[in-house]
Amino acid sequence: RNPTNPELPLLLAQLELNKGNTDKARSFIRNSIALKEDYVDAYVMLAQLEIRENNIAEAIVSAEKLSLLMPNNPGVHFELGLLKYSNKDYTGAADAFTLALLFAPDYANAKYYLGLSLSQLGRVDEALSQFESLSVTNPDNADVQMIIKELRIKRDSLSDD
């Protein structure tokens, strides 16, 4: 009765995913987006499908669109950051994690991955700052303490040059 409802092709996409037919599911998701370009649920499903299929670049495209549709959602920015980090786009990852922290300053996982991203970019002092901040709220976390120690050694070796 309502052929322009974007939820209908999305439901069909879910049925196709349940049957394991990702190509048909992707097609239905794209039909849903064609009906409503800002349909958040469709972009979420598309990103999940692309991750499942190990199409990280396509998952990033969907997550970027989602971050534009939901700009104040720290979880969306965090997921985008993880995708970019796994794709070795450390600058993009750092930007996404920074946005996540803008909307949720105590987001420990975002601080952790922002610190890792900054370290990959050679921004050791900024990375160290993130991990030192994390150690205040997670003083017993052995990984955080080990990373702080390694970053201090790296910083000191860089300053000796």
Side-chain angles (χ1 to χ4, degrees), residues 92-115:
D95 292 343
F97 294 130
T98 299
L99 281 173
L101 287 167
L102 178 68
F103 298 109
D106 295 327
Y107 200 154
N109 287 337
K111 282 184 186 183
Y112 183 88
Y113 280 99
L114 175 57

mmCIF file of all heavy atoms in Angstrom, residues 92-115:
data_model
loop_
_atom_site.group_PDB
_atom_site.id
_atom_site.type_symbol
_atom_site.label_atom_id
_atom_site.label_comp_id
_atom_site.label_asym_id
_atom_site.label_seq_id
_atom_site.Cartn_x
_atom_site.Cartn_y
_atom_site.Cartn_z
ATOM 1 N N GLY A 92 42.448 9.827 9.744
ATOM 2 C CA GLY A 92 40.986 9.760 9.764
ATOM 3 C C GLY A 92 40.472 9.159 11.057
ATOM 4 O O GLY A 92 39.456 9.605 11.609
ATOM 5 N N ALA A 93 41.160 8.137 11.555
ATOM 6 C CA ALA A 93 40.766 7.508 12.813
ATOM 7 C C ALA A 93 40.879 8.506 13.962
ATOM 8 O O ALA A 93 39.956 8.625 14.778
ATOM 9 C CB ALA A 93 41.636 6.280 13.090
ATOM 10 N N ALA A 94 41.995 9.229 14.012
ATOM 11 C CA ALA A 94 42.185 10.211 15.082
ATOM 12 C C ALA A 94 41.096 11.276 15.037
ATOM 13 O O ALA A 94 40.562 11.671 16.079
ATOM 14 C CB ALA A 94 43.569 10.855 14.972
ATOM 15 N N ASP A 95 40.740 11.710 13.844
ATOM 16 C CA ASP A 95 39.668 12.707 13.706
ATOM 17 C C ASP A 95 38.342 12.158 14.232
ATOM 18 O O ASP A 95 37.609 12.853 14.941
ATOM 19 C CB ASP A 95 39.508 13.135 12.248
ATOM 20 C CG ASP A 95 40.698 13.929 11.721
ATOM 21 O OD1 ASP A 95 41.502 14.431 12.536
ATOM 22 O OD2 ASP A 95 40.816 14.048 10.483
ATOM 23 N N ALA A 96 38.019 10.918 13.878
ATOM 24 C CA ALA A 96 36.760 10.316 14.316
ATOM 25 C C ALA A 96 36.745 10.112 15.829
ATOM 26 O O ALA A 96 35.738 10.408 16.498
ATOM 27 C CB ALA A 96 36.530 8.992 13.590
ATOM 28 N N PHE A 97 37.847 9.632 16.402
ATOM 29 C CA PHE A 97 37.899 9.429 17.854
ATOM 30 C C PHE A 97 37.829 10.762 18.595
ATOM 31 O O PHE A 97 37.208 10.862 19.662
ATOM 32 C CB PHE A 97 39.163 8.662 18.262
ATOM 33 C CG PHE A 97 39.199 7.254 17.747
ATOM 34 C CD1 PHE A 97 40.310 6.768 17.088
ATOM 35 C CD2 PHE A 97 38.114 6.394 17.912
ATOM 36 C CE1 PHE A 97 40.360 5.470 16.607
ATOM 37 C CE2 PHE A 97 38.144 5.086 17.434
ATOM 38 C CZ PHE A 97 39.276 4.627 16.777
ATOM 39 N N THR A 98 38.431 11.797 18.025
ATOM 40 C CA THR A 98 38.355 13.131 18.624
ATOM 41 C C THR A 98 36.915 13.613 18.665
ATOM 42 O O THR A 98 36.466 14.187 19.667
ATOM 43 C CB THR A 98 39.245 14.125 17.854
ATOM 44 O OG1 THR A 98 40.611 13.669 17.930
ATOM 45 C CG2 THR A 98 39.158 15.529 18.420
ATOM 46 N N LEU A 99 36.167 13.369 17.592
ATOM 47 C CA LEU A 99 34.749 13.747 17.579
ATOM 48 C C LEU A 99 33.958 12.946 18.613
ATOM 49 O O LEU A 99 33.081 13.486 19.286
ATOM 50 C CB LEU A 99 34.148 13.547 16.185
ATOM 51 C CG LEU A 99 34.458 14.632 15.172
ATOM 52 C CD1 LEU A 99 33.968 14.239 13.786
ATOM 53 C CD2 LEU A 99 33.851 15.962 15.600
ATOM 54 N N ALA A 100 34.259 11.672 18.735
ATOM 55 C CA ALA A 100 33.578 10.853 19.747
ATOM 56 C C ALA A 100 33.812 11.442 21.134
ATOM 57 O O ALA A 100 32.878 11.545 21.945
ATOM 58 C CB ALA A 100 34.067 9.411 19.684
ATOM 59 N N LEU A 101 35.043 11.868 21.397
ATOM 60 C CA LEU A 101 35.377 12.442 22.705
ATOM 61 C C LEU A 101 34.784 13.831 22.905
ATOM 62 O O LEU A 101 34.523 14.233 24.038
ATOM 63 C CB LEU A 101 36.894 12.474 22.898
ATOM 64 C CG LEU A 101 37.515 11.104 23.140
ATOM 65 C CD1 LEU A 101 39.028 11.157 22.994
ATOM 66 C CD2 LEU A 101 37.119 10.571 24.502
ATOM 67 N N LEU A 102 34.546 14.530 21.815
ATOM 68 C CA LEU A 102 33.896 15.834 21.912
ATOM 69 C C LEU A 102 32.491 15.680 22.504
ATOM 70 O O LEU A 102 32.064 16.480 23.331
ATOM 71 C CB LEU A 102 33.823 16.480 20.525
ATOM 72 C CG LEU A 102 33.129 17.833 20.430
ATOM 73 C CD1 LEU A 102 33.953 18.903 21.139
ATOM 74 C CD2 LEU A 102 32.921 18.215 18.970
ATOM 75 N N PHE A 103 31.799 14.621 22.103
ATOM 76 C CA PHE A 103 30.429 14.402 22.568
ATOM 77 C C PHE A 103 30.351 13.531 23.811
ATOM 78 O O PHE A 103 29.311 13.501 24.479
ATOM 79 C CB PHE A 103 29.585 13.809 21.439
ATOM 80 C CG PHE A 103 29.495 14.726 20.255
ATOM 81 C CD1 PHE A 103 30.143 14.430 19.067
ATOM 82 C CD2 PHE A 103 28.804 15.925 20.345
ATOM 83 C CE1 PHE A 103 30.084 15.293 17.979
ATOM 84 C CE2 PHE A 103 28.741 16.800 19.272
ATOM 85 C CZ PHE A 103 29.384 16.478 18.086
ATOM 86 N N ALA A 104 31.416 12.803 24.124
ATOM 87 C CA ALA A 104 31.456 11.959 25.325
ATOM 88 C C ALA A 104 32.892 11.971 25.856
ATOM 89 O O ALA A 104 33.675 11.060 25.581
ATOM 90 C CB ALA A 104 31.003 10.545 25.002
ATOM 91 N N PRO A 105 33.254 13.023 26.619
ATOM 92 C CA PRO A 105 34.646 13.208 27.052
ATOM 93 C C PRO A 105 35.243 12.052 27.870
ATOM 94 O O PRO A 105 36.454 11.900 27.905
ATOM 95 C CB PRO A 105 34.594 14.489 27.893
ATOM 96 C CG PRO A 105 33.361 15.189 27.448
ATOM 97 C CD PRO A 105 32.402 14.125 27.015
ATOM 98 N N ASP A 106 34.413 11.250 28.494
ATOM 99 C CA ASP A 106 34.920 10.144 29.312
ATOM 100 C C ASP A 106 34.874 8.800 28.584
ATOM 101 O O ASP A 106 34.948 7.751 29.222
ATOM 102 C CB ASP A 106 34.118 10.057 30.614
ATOM 103 C CG ASP A 106 34.313 11.279 31.485
ATOM 104 O OD1 ASP A 106 35.425 11.851 31.465
ATOM 105 O OD2 ASP A 106 33.357 11.683 32.170
ATOM 106 N N TYR A 107 34.750 8.806 27.273
ATOM 107 C CA TYR A 107 34.651 7.593 26.461
ATOM 108 C C TYR A 107 36.027 6.925 26.439
ATOM 109 O O TYR A 107 36.883 7.249 25.617
ATOM 110 C CB TYR A 107 34.192 7.980 25.065
ATOM 111 C CG TYR A 107 33.587 6.891 24.214
ATOM 112 C CD1 TYR A 107 32.691 7.218 23.212
ATOM 113 C CD2 TYR A 107 33.927 5.551 24.363
ATOM 114 C CE1 TYR A 107 32.132 6.255 22.397
ATOM 115 C CE2 TYR A 107 33.381 4.583 23.568
ATOM 116 C CZ TYR A 107 32.486 4.938 22.580
ATOM 117 O OH TYR A 107 31.941 3.980 21.766
ATOM 118 N N ALA A 108 36.243 5.981 27.357
ATOM 119 C CA ALA A 108 37.561 5.377 27.546
ATOM 120 C C ALA A 108 38.081 4.685 26.285
ATOM 121 O O ALA A 108 39.260 4.828 25.943
ATOM 122 C CB ALA A 108 37.521 4.394 28.715
ATOM 123 N N ASN A 109 37.236 3.954 25.597
ATOM 124 C CA ASN A 109 37.700 3.260 24.388
ATOM 125 C C ASN A 109 38.120 4.248 23.309
ATOM 126 O O ASN A 109 39.077 3.998 22.568
ATOM 127 C CB ASN A 109 36.622 2.314 23.864
ATOM 128 C CG ASN A 109 36.472 1.081 24.721
ATOM 129 O OD1 ASN A 109 37.383 0.698 25.435
ATOM 130 N ND2 ASN A 109 35.303 0.463 24.659
ATOM 131 N N ALA A 110 37.421 5.365 23.214
ATOM 132 C CA ALA A 110 37.798 6.382 22.232
ATOM 133 C C ALA A 110 39.162 6.986 22.596
ATOM 134 O O ALA A 110 39.988 7.229 21.711
ATOM 135 C CB ALA A 110 36.729 7.465 22.129
ATOM 136 N N LYS A 111 39.399 7.234 23.887
ATOM 137 C CA LYS A 111 40.711 7.749 24.315
ATOM 138 C C LYS A 111 41.810 6.754 23.979
ATOM 139 O O LYS A 111 42.888 7.129 23.511
ATOM 140 C CB LYS A 111 40.721 8.012 25.828
ATOM 141 C CG LYS A 111 40.030 9.265 26.242
ATOM 142 C CD LYS A 111 40.184 9.482 27.744
ATOM 143 C CE LYS A 111 39.353 10.661 28.180
ATOM 144 N NZ LYS A 111 39.537 10.943 29.613
ATOM 145 N N TYR A 112 41.541 5.491 24.254
ATOM 146 C CA TYR A 112 42.526 4.436 24.010
ATOM 147 C C TYR A 112 42.922 4.407 22.530
ATOM 148 O O TYR A 112 44.105 4.477 22.186
ATOM 149 C CB TYR A 112 41.945 3.091 24.443
ATOM 150 C CG TYR A 112 42.888 1.928 24.315
ATOM 151 C CD1 TYR A 112 43.754 1.597 25.351
ATOM 152 C CD2 TYR A 112 42.917 1.151 23.161
ATOM 153 C CE1 TYR A 112 44.626 0.518 25.248
ATOM 154 C CE2 TYR A 112 43.784 0.077 23.042
ATOM 155 C CZ TYR A 112 44.628 -0.233 24.089
ATOM 156 O OH TYR A 112 45.490 -1.290 23.976
ATOM 157 N N TYR A 113 41.931 4.343 21.660
ATOM 158 C CA TYR A 113 42.232 4.256 20.234
ATOM 159 C C TYR A 113 42.731 5.582 19.660
ATOM 160 O O TYR A 113 43.510 5.582 18.702
ATOM 161 C CB TYR A 113 41.035 3.722 19.451
ATOM 162 C CG TYR A 113 40.944 2.223 19.554
ATOM 163 C CD1 TYR A 113 40.074 1.623 20.451
ATOM 164 C CD2 TYR A 113 41.761 1.412 18.779
ATOM 165 C CE1 TYR A 113 40.009 0.242 20.560
ATOM 166 C CE2 TYR A 113 41.699 0.032 18.887
ATOM 167 C CZ TYR A 113 40.828 -0.547 19.776
ATOM 168 O OH TYR A 113 40.780 -1.908 19.892
ATOM 169 N N LEU A 114 42.314 6.694 20.243
ATOM 170 C CA LEU A 114 42.889 7.972 19.825
ATOM 171 C C LEU A 114 44.372 7.978 20.165
ATOM 172 O O LEU A 114 45.207 8.377 19.341
ATOM 173 C CB LEU A 114 42.182 9.151 20.504
ATOM 174 C CG LEU A 114 42.790 10.532 20.227
ATOM 175 C CD1 LEU A 114 42.836 10.833 18.729
ATOM 176 C CD2 LEU A 114 42.008 11.610 20.974
ATOM 177 N N GLY A 115 44.713 7.492 21.354
ATOM 178 C CA GLY A 115 46.120 7.405 21.740
ATOM 179 C C GLY A 115 46.918 6.521 20.794
ATOM 180 O O GLY A 115 48.020 6.879 20.371
#
